[in-house]
């Protein structure tokens, strides 16, 4: 079929030329693939060396905003539309539903694998329900728990798995959620986050973090700021 397509596109090209061209494409594809495999092997070796060192290693995992697994397992694990098809957020990506057993089991499996690799701490990003997009199209009649209850159950299952491995678990939270105390749409509550996780990494400005330190009292001791740009005093994690 491929040869026929080439002949149709290039009618004056001989069979040997076509075969040589296709062989070259295959050869180049294999070269690119081998290069990618070598890069992956190098990354694996570098990671193994890091985990064997005295450095404190944190694995950052996107918990519930998992586009590929949600699309492949929409009924069993994803947030779905009223039609039963997987729901799209404002970026046309998909989310897992912690109400569903398969979604929770998948996240626990990934976290456990990272812990077994030798990471000291697992940091969960987007540990929440989506709060942007066409929320009115989400099927909610099948939910067996409230959003905070579903997130709390997932946190408990992660805690069981990670405590057995002696690994800490932490979460990334937006500063505005902590300032408000809760987000009804995303299911996040300050009480649940600080109760279930060892550390709470806060996304926001330095000003917002400073304000939260006085607002949250004893819970502030668990907070670690994630700031955009350079850190002035070197005491904060800076992510660009």
């Amino acid at each position: 079929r491929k040869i026929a397509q080439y002949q149709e596109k290039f009618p004056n090209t001989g069979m040997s030329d076509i075969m040589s061209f296709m062989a070259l494409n295959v050869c180049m594809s294999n070269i690119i693939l081998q290069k990618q495999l070598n890069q992956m092997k190098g990354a694996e070796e570098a990671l193994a060396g890091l985990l064997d060192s005295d450095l404190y290693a944190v694995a950052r995992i996107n918990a519930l905003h998992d586009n590929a697994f949600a699309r492949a397992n929409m009924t069993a694990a994803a947030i779905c539309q009223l039609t039963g098809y997987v729901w799209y957020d404002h970026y046309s990506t998909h989310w897992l539903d912690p109400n569903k057993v398969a979604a929770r089991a998948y996240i626990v499996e990934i976290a456990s694998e990272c812990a077994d690799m030798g990471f000291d701490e697992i940091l969960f990003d987007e540990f929440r329900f989506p709060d942007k997009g066409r929320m009115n199209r989400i099927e909610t009649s099948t939910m067996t728990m409230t959003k905070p209850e579903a997130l709390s159950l997932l946190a408990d299952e992660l805690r069981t798995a990670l405590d057995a491995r002696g690994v800490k678990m932490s979460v990334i939270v937006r500063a505005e959620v902590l300032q408000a105390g809760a987000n009804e749409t995303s299911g996040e509550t300050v009480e649940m986050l600080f109760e279930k996780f060892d550390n709470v990494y806060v996304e926001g400005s330095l000003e917002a973090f400073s304000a939260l330190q006085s607002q949250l009292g004893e819970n502030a001791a668990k907070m670690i700021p994630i700031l955009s740009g350079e850190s002035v005093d070197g005491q904060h994690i800076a992510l660009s």
Side-chain angles (χ1 to χ4, degrees):
R1 184 181 300 176
K2 286 287 185 183
I3 293 174
Q5 290 174 347
Y6 278 117
Q7 285 180 319
E8 181 179 351
K9 189 171 184 180
F10 306 104
N12 296 323
T13 304
M15 181 64 71
S16 62
D17 294 326
I18 292 175
M19 296 301 292
S20 296
F21 178 67
M22 294 178 69
L24 177 61
N25 278 343
V26 172
C27 179
M28 291 303 295
S29 296
N30 287 337
I31 291 173
I32 293 171
L33 176 60
Q34 188 60 51
K35 184 177 180 180
Q36 291 173 337
L37 290 174
N38 290 339
Q39 290 174 340
M40 290 175 61
K41 183 179 180 180
E44 290 175 356
E45 292 174 350
L47 179 59
L50 174 66
L51 295 177
D52 286 339
S53 71
D54 293 331
L55 294 174
Y56 187 83
V58 179
R60 183 175 180 175
I61 298 174
N62 197 306
L64 290 162
H65 195 179
D66 191 310
N67 196 54
F69 192 80
R71 186 173 180 83
N73 303 272
M74 58 181 72
T75 301
I79 293 177
C80 293
Q81 302 180 51
L82 296 170
T83 60
Y85 196 71
V86 65
W87 179 79
Y88 294 81
D89 65 10
H90 60 308
Y91 290 121
S92 293
T93 57
H94 315 302
W95 291 68
L96 300 178
D97 185 351
N99 278 277
K100 298 180 177 180
V101 175
R104 299 197 306 274
Y106 168 71
I107 298 167
V108 171
E109 181 181 1
I110 292 178
S112 298
E113 183 176 344
C114 288
D116 290 339
M117 289 174 65
F119 283 96
D120 302 291
E121 181 178 334
I122 311 299
L123 175 60
F124 296 97
D125 198 359
E126 293 188 295
F127 191 91
R128 59 182 176 86
F129 285 83
D131 56 7
K132 293 180 181 178
R134 296 179 177 178
M135 312 304 295
N136 62 324
R137 294 191 177 183
I138 294 178
E139 174 59 78
T140 58
S141 64
T142 57
M143 292 179 63
T144 58
M145 297 171 275
T146 65
K147 290 180 179 180
E149 287 172 345
L151 293 175
S152 182
L153 177 57
L154 173 57
D156 287 341
E157 292 178 356
L158 286 166
R159 173 64 72 185
T160 298
L162 296 178
D163 274 359
R165 294 166 169 83
V167 173
K168 289 185 177 182
M169 55 182 276
S170 301
V171 65
I172 295 178
V173 185
R174 296 163 292 179
E176 59 266 27
V177 173
L178 297 182
Q179 289 169 338
N183 183 320
E184 183 178 355
T185 306
S186 69
E188 298 164 287
T189 68
V190 168
E191 181 181 3
M192 183 273 292
L193 294 168
F194 282 96
E195 176 188 348
K196 302 294 183 181
F197 293 92
D198 296 306
N199 295 311
V200 175
Y201 291 68
V202 183
E203 287 185 315
S205 66
L206 181 58
E207 292 75 15
F209 181 79
S210 298
L212 282 170
Q213 285 182 306
S214 58
Q215 176 185 334
L216 295 176
E218 293 182 358
N219 283 331
K222 283 189 171 185
M223 290 198 308
I224 299 174
I226 297 179
L227 307 174
S228 298
E230 296 296 327
S231 171
V232 176
D233 55 12
Q235 298 180 1
H236 307 296
I237 296 175
L239 299 179
S240 57

